[in-house]
Amino acid sequence: MIEDLSTVEPPAPLPAAEGLFAVSTDAAHLNHGSYGAVPVPVQRLQERLRAEHELDPDGFFADLPARIGAARARIAAELGTDPDRLAMVSNVTEAVAIALDSIPFAPGDRILVTDHGYGVVTRAAVRRAAETGAEVVVVEVPLDAPDERAVREAVLAAVDGRTTVAVLDQITSPTARLLAGPELLAELRGRGVTTVVDGAHAPGMLPAPADPDADFWFGNLHKWAFAPRGTGVLAVRPEWTERIRPLTFSWEHDKGFPWNVEWRGTCDYTGWLAAPAGFELLRGLGPETVAAHNDALAAYGARVLVERAGLRPLPATPGVSMRAVRLPAGWGEEEQDVRPLMAEVWRRLGTRIAVRPWSGGGVLRVSAQLYNRAEEYERLADGLAGLLSGR
């Protein structure tokens, strides 16, 4: 739905978050949804783990599978899922490759994606289709689709007897709205469609992110769950665990899922071991308090972009710590246009944003996290007004 932004006010900063992040105050980082920002206590824990690793490398690796399993169990509890159907991965790009590589496709099968999907995830579906003779069908979900029901109807209208797999965002990366909700996943499951859900933004933001109706669900922990980067999870329904095809062989291969997915030899696993501390930190702050703060601040960011820069709001999902607005026609319509635009916003305004190309005017997404302040969005809106008008 389109929010009534006219009365939205910025929330007061949370005192408990003071000094929690090391993000530079010389710039406005309004793009937490891309790479996140690791809280200082979690950074320090990872540094201690790395120091421990260097003191006895052999001993550290010898105990590592069990320690990863213990970390996974704590993370599974936070996500509300079974640790035996959850594997640690580096990110959603790795997870979607594992999921698609584990699904058998036949020539003529259809893989359904949407035009709101994350580009690299969609490219993984295209590659898998090319390898197997399957076909990728892109569902166009209108940017102004008013609610979850309208989105669900657009997706289901594209399902036919040849649709075997649907690769869907839980929260869309470019447009910051809920897409693969519980009702849609249940309906697809009822039609025999295997569902692969990109929940990159869900952990730490949504109260129950890992939907049990998804055959494959994956998310990043470095965005909203305060984990170090390179930390993600892949959840698999029980009927798929023995059919998982890891990206590589390892000495843990014969143990089966999740061990065969997690172990990849001489890598830095300290981020995975530190990830539960991110959830603990979030729990100490109060997940509902953090979510309410970020939701309100993101909505205020959308308000000033609409009021001061003349941009058009796009439908939003309550509880999501991001908002998307539409750039004017002629701005950010092609892939080659968006990087120069983001670079110019950084150069002129000292602000990091995310822009994705869209015909008729690109989509600008702003994120909100505890280290952000209302004046950062105001500066962006005022500066964009001048940039877009050629001043």
Side-chain angles (χ1 to χ4, degrees):
M1 64 177 181
I2 299 291
E3 296 174 286
D4 179 7
L5 299 171
S6 61
T7 60
V8 173
E9 296 294 337
L14 294 184
E18 183 68 29
L20 195 58
F21 295 90
V23 176
S24 173
T25 56
D26 296 332
H29 184 60
L30 305 184
N31 194 22
H32 187 90
S34 288
Y35 300 106
V38 185
V40 172
V42 181
Q43 292 182 45
R44 290 174 177 164
L45 173 57
Q46 188 177 21
E47 290 168 3
R48 293 195 297 271
L49 288 165
R50 283 174 171 157
E52 177 192 344
H53 191 175
E54 295 307 322
L55 287 172
D56 182 8
D58 280 24
F60 190 88
F61 274 110
D63 296 338
L64 199 48
R67 293 177 72 174
I68 292 172
R72 183 196 334 117
R74 293 168 65 188
I75 292 167
E78 296 288 351
L79 297 176
T81 191
D82 184 345
D84 291 335
R85 58 180 290 251
L86 188 76
M88 303 297 297
V89 293
S90 297
N91 49 46
V92 300
T93 308
E94 180 181 304
V96 72
I98 295 170
L100 291 174
D101 211 28
S102 301
I103 299 171
F105 289 99
D109 285 350
R110 285 181 171 167
I111 306 172
L112 186 150
V113 302
T114 80
D115 57 349
H116 291 239
Y118 187 63
V120 174
V121 170
T122 298
R123 290 177 69 178
V126 170
R127 185 180 73 169
R128 183 66 171 144
E131 293 170 344
T132 60
E135 173 188 353
V136 172
V137 176
V138 181
V139 180
E140 294 184 1
V141 177
L143 277 177
D144 56 358
D147 52 28
E148 189 179 344
R149 177 180 178 181
V151 171
R152 187 168 67 250
E153 289 175 352
V155 172
L156 292 174
V159 175
D160 61 21
R162 291 170 55 195
T163 306
T164 55
V165 173
V167 181
L168 303 170
D169 287 53
Q170 192 168 15
I171 297 172
T172 60
S173 180
T175 51
R177 63 182 300 178
L178 183 71
L179 195 152
E183 290 186 35
L184 175 56
L185 293 179
E187 290 198 49
L188 288 169
R189 184 167 184 79
R191 299 186 187 195
V193 177
T194 298
T195 50
V196 178
V197 178
D198 178 359
H201 294 276
M205 184 191 292
L206 301 184
D211 195 305
D213 266 322
D215 292 282
F216 300 87
W217 173 91
F218 38 83
N220 287 324
L221 304 186
H222 69 261
K223 296 178 184 287
W224 308 100
F226 294 162
R229 294 175 195 86
T231 307
V233 288
L234 166 65
V236 179
R237 281 183 62 88
E239 59 264 34
W240 286 99
T241 55
E242 293 185 6
R243 301 157 70 180
I244 290 295
R245 190 168 186 262
L247 298 182
T248 62
F249 276 99
S250 72
W251 292 114
E252 300 293 311
H253 185 83
D254 292 341
K255 286 186 177 179
F257 187 87
W259 311 93
N260 58 357
V261 167
E262 292 173 336
W263 194 249
R264 67 278 309 276
T266 313
C267 292
D268 183 358
Y269 300 89
T270 57
W272 296 4
L273 300 182
F279 277 107
E280 290 174 9
L281 179 59
L282 181 60
R283 189 162 294 283
L285 292 168
E288 298 84 2
T289 300
V290 172
H293 173 278
N294 292 346
D295 183 30
L297 189 55
Y300 180 73
R303 174 186 173 180
V304 295
L305 286 167
V306 170
E307 292 179 350
R308 301 190 184 192
L311 305 185
R312 181 159 62 89
L314 291 174
T317 299
V320 172
S321 305
M322 304 182 291
R323 291 295 188 277
V325 293
R326 193 81 185 271
L327 293 171
W331 289 89
E333 295 196 19
E334 302 291 340
E335 184 69 42
Q336 64 267 23
D337 301 330
V338 296
R339 288 187 182 275
L341 176 58
M342 290 189 290
E344 184 67 3
V345 168
W346 169 248
R347 186 185 69 81
R348 291 177 54 166
L349 308 177
T351 304
R352 299 293 189 187
I353 58 172
V355 179
R356 294 308 305 150
W358 218 278
S359 177
V363 175
L364 188 159
R365 186 197 74 193
V366 290
S367 303
Q369 190 47 277
L370 298 176
Y371 54 80
N372 292 125
R373 297 292 180 265
E375 54 267 24
E376 295 175 327
Y377 303 90
E378 294 164 0
R379 185 169 75 243
L380 170 63
D382 292 340
L384 270 177
L387 192 156
L388 297 174
S389 64
R391 296 198 303 271

